[in-house]
Amino acid sequence: MDYLRNFFVNLARSWTAWIGGFLPDWGVNLVNYLVVGIILVLMPVIATLTLTWMERKVIGRIQNRIGPNRVGPWGIFQAFADAVKMLIKEDIVPSGADKPVFNLAPILIAGAAALLWAVVPFGRGMIGQNLNIGALYVVAVGSITTIAVIMAGWSSNNKFALLGAFRVVAQLLSYEIPMVLSIATVVLVTGTMRMGDIVERQVAPFIVVLPVAFITYLLAAAAETGRAPFDLLEADSEIVAGYFVEYSGLKFGWFYIAEYGNLFAIAAITTTLFLGGWRGPFVSVAPALGPFYFVIKSVAVIFVLMWIRGTWPRFRIDQMLAFAWKVLVPASLANLLWSAIVLQIGRQPEQLGPTIVQMILLLVGNVAILAVTGLLLGRAARRYAAQHGWAGA
Amino acid sequence: MFLFVVFALIALAAAVGVITSRKPVYSALFLLLNFATLAALYIMVEAQFLAAVQIIVYAGAVIVLFLFVVMLIGGGELDDIGGRNKKFLARLTWPRGIALVLGLGLLVAVGYGLLSGQLMTATNDAAAFGQGSVQAIAAVLYTDYALPFELASILLLVGMIGAVALAQPPKKD
């Protein structure tokens, strides 16, 4: 029973002790690094296999369909069938494509998706590397994705792919700013960038303390991963499939894997920053429960993202950029400013995380920001409707 | 030390790639590789913050802008850079001459600094100083260097206002 309480940590210890029996110290380290590396690389693949099935089922239900139901019970092997299809497809490199860049782009994008997992805390002490710049690392790795997408779009020698790449630059650079600002708010409130410590100091989940930061981060993250309604980079009806239109077979598969790996990673980071990570009832008694809470919360976030995808139509690119610059950036800037002010009120030295009073003040400020944003948006919508002479103006 | 040599060699190779590539896009990508290896070197001296900022600013913004501009103006191959078939001295116009002299001067300065030990003053354990930590950098940046920091931010603000003013559509009277 004691073993089960801290199951994952004990498992790692037994494993290290076991291979330590017949390997020298450097060999143990090498094997452990290798195992962790393989887990990190497999993470996006596992995420793809499970999330594609979940996405099809959820979207299917939202659209009053059943979704995949042929391969295996409830269609759970649909993703494997798709994987086999991708593996046996012909690999085509378009003539006039820039071959080295064309081949490098899928590797880079999938690598970036795998790198994100290094700083995700699944439980207390269960983190690949508790970097002292963890939150910043997430942003840094995210910016590699932009490069990979541009490389793919440019090297394909296809005007739709290039248009997709241009949109990516505009969209990802614009939405990076509200994303960084909302992460900065959390970093400011917790006083640390270590992902593990952010969870430790999150006495109350920040979704109820900093709702503005949560909403901003979730929207910006959906835009960063190119999820609908922000999927302008691959808008089928406008630019065919965007930057990866020329890819086929497993190279296309890598883009797919990167997309779903990023989706899961974004949900995991949202959970870490705003939903209290692995915190939950009885975790202090049995730390092995932490990873389960973590995964449940992450899947809930993913479900919300799928829900948004299933219900909202796609934006137009100018509307989308205007939304980032005119709504999300001012709101998150105001939130950051308010957090800085509140944290100076009644600040104790050596204080870790916000006090109760500070949390209430933060919440009040956040609700006010939300109200003002909603008011201004409603007024703008009415003005726009009046200009166009629409009913209900 | 082994890792340092590996990364330094990659950085050097990438730097050579930047100036010898015939396609501008390749040059930009080699530059990206160079910046990434620099970030790795920063991590090796415990300057993680600097490494992350290096990736965010250079890989995430500067290289993206380079690639964007190259793609907009067409990333074709440069076949005849300043008369490749001419003799070396005939190609040495005065801007190139100045660049050559300045480049050699920089190399000499760096070499002198390394040999005389001027560049080696910070060889202590950086982790002990907490150089890499965000707190240490912030503490210095917002106290001792607050004025330069604010001046830099004003400079950026001026640049931003200028861009907005230039992008304004002409007023219709």
Side-chain angles (χ1 to χ4, degrees), chain A residues 5 8 120-124 126 199 205 264 267-272 274-302:
Chain A
R5 255 195 213 137
F8 294 101
V120 172
F122 292 96
R124 182 169 275 155
M126 284 178 61
V199 178
F264 203 171
I269 292 160
T270 312
T271 308
T272 309
F274 297 103
L275 299 183
W278 40 262
R279 279 166 172 274
F282 306 115
V283 163
S284 50
V285 196
L289 279 174
F292 290 110
Y293 288 136
F294 188 85
V295 170
I296 289 169
K297 286 173 181 174
S298 303
V299 171
V301 174
I302 292 169

Side-chain angles (χ1 to χ4, degrees), chain A residues 331-367:
Chain A
S332 45
L333 262 180
N335 192 18
L336 189 65
L337 197 65
W338 177 247
S339 309
I341 293 169
V342 167
L343 289 176
Q344 282 302 318
I345 300 171
R347 199 172 79 102
Q348 277 106 37
E350 307 295 316
Q351 175 190 334
L352 297 178
T355 58
I356 300 285
V357 182
Q358 283 176 339
M359 283 201 271
I360 293 168
L361 280 173
L362 282 174
L363 181 61
V364 170
N366 270 268
V367 171

Side-chain angles (χ1 to χ4, degrees), chain A residues 7-336:
Chain A
F7 178 70
F8 294 101
V9 175
N10 285 333
L11 190 69
R13 273 196 200 127
S14 321
W15 161 260
T16 309
W18 180 61
I19 59 168
F22 51 88
L23 277 180
D25 273 353
W26 61 267
V28 171
N29 279 339
L30 195 71
V31 170
N32 276 346
Y33 289 155
L34 208 63
V35 168
V36 171
I38 288 170
I39 291 174
L40 280 186
V41 172
L42 279 182
M43 220 54 177
V45 179
I46 296 166
T48 312
L49 289 179
T50 48
L51 291 183
T52 45
W53 177 78
M54 177 178 162
E55 174 133 53
R56 284 175 186 184
K57 277 290 185 192
V58 170
I59 299 283
R61 286 293 169 185
I62 288 173
Q63 295 168 348
N64 209 3
R65 297 183 283 116
I66 296 173
N69 64 345
R70 293 287 138 175
V71 195
W74 309 288
I76 51 171
F77 295 126
Q78 184 66 44
F80 292 92
D82 281 343
V84 170
K85 182 190 82 178
M86 266 175 206
L87 280 170
I88 58 178
K89 258 183 161 179
E90 188 192 354
D91 174 39
I92 299 169
V93 180
S95 63
D98 196 312
K99 220 172 165 191
V101 182
F102 187 80
N103 289 335
L104 207 58
I107 301 172
L108 202 61
I109 200 166
L115 277 176
L116 270 181
W117 290 96
V119 293
V120 172
F122 292 96
R124 182 169 275 155
M126 284 178 61
I127 179 167
Q129 186 64 259
N130 201 3
L131 288 176
N132 65 4
I133 45 149
L136 211 57
Y137 173 88
V138 171
V139 181
V141 170
S143 62
I144 296 176
T145 309
T146 321
I147 298 268
V149 169
I150 296 176
M151 282 165 68
W154 177 77
S155 65
S156 299
N157 194 26
N158 176 316
K159 67 181 171 209
F160 293 117
L162 195 58
L163 276 175
F166 285 164
R167 288 183 173 193
V168 167
V169 175
Q171 174 173 334
L172 265 55
L173 287 187
S174 309
Y175 275 83
E176 207 160 67
I177 294 160
M179 188 165 121
V180 171
L181 285 176
S182 50
I183 293 178
T185 315
V186 173
V187 169
L188 197 69
V189 171
T190 51
T192 179
M193 279 196 188
R194 290 176 196 270
M195 297 295 261
D197 296 2
I198 286 178
V199 178
E200 298 275 358
R201 296 180 192 177
Q202 219 173 119
V203 185
F206 282 155
I207 182 174
V208 292
V209 183
L210 302 163
V212 173
F214 172 73
I215 295 169
T216 317
Y217 180 78
L218 201 61
L219 288 179
E224 287 274 308
T225 47
R227 305 266 317 158
F230 303 108
D231 59 345
L232 272 300
L233 0 162
E234 43 193 89
D236 321 43
S237 54
E238 300 160 20
I239 49 171
V240 199
Y243 58 91
F244 55 70
V245 61
E246 292 289 1
Y247 285 88
S248 76
L250 201 60
K251 281 184 206 155
F252 170 75
W254 280 116
F255 283 102
Y256 215 63
I257 286 169
E259 186 186 335
Y260 282 94
N262 274 330
L263 174 63
F264 203 171
I266 286 290
I269 292 160
T270 312
T271 308
T272 309
L273 294 178
F274 297 103
L275 299 183
W278 40 262
R279 279 166 172 274
F282 306 115
V283 163
S284 50
V285 196
L289 279 174
F292 290 110
Y293 288 136
F294 188 85
V295 170
I296 289 169
K297 286 173 181 174
S298 303
V299 171
V301 174
I302 292 169
F303 177 74
V304 170
L305 285 171
M306 288 175 178
W307 193 1
I308 295 174
R309 175 180 173 170
T311 29
W312 284 84
R314 188 179 291 135
F315 278 108
R316 224 169 50 206
I317 185 84
D318 59 318
Q319 294 169 337
M320 200 182 135
L321 299 183
F323 180 65
W325 288 106
K326 294 179 184 168
V327 182
L328 291 183
V329 170
S332 45
L333 262 180
N335 192 18
L336 189 65

Side-chain angles (χ1 to χ4, degrees), chain B residues 60-147:
Chain B
V62 173
I63 296 290
V64 168
L65 276 182
F66 280 180
L67 286 173
F68 199 57
V69 170
V70 167
M71 286 171 191
L72 272 180
I73 62 173
E77 204 160 327
L78 303 170
D79 27 66
D80 191 36
I81 311 170
R84 200 166 255 273
N85 342 342
K86 284 192 215 154
K87 286 233 168 77
F88 176 75
L89 278 177
R91 278 154 60 194
L92 199 67
T93 51
W94 66 267
R96 287 184 192 162
I98 293 174
L100 191 66
V101 170
L102 286 178
L104 284 177
L106 183 68
L107 275 183
V108 168
V110 171
Y112 173 75
L114 282 174
L115 289 178
S116 66
Q118 300 276 336
L119 290 182
M120 294 292 200
T121 45
T123 45
N124 296 319
D125 190 6
F129 283 131
Q131 277 179 1
S133 79
V134 188
Q135 284 89 346
I137 289 177
V140 178
L141 195 62
Y142 291 107
T143 53
D144 295 354
Y145 297 97
L147 185 65

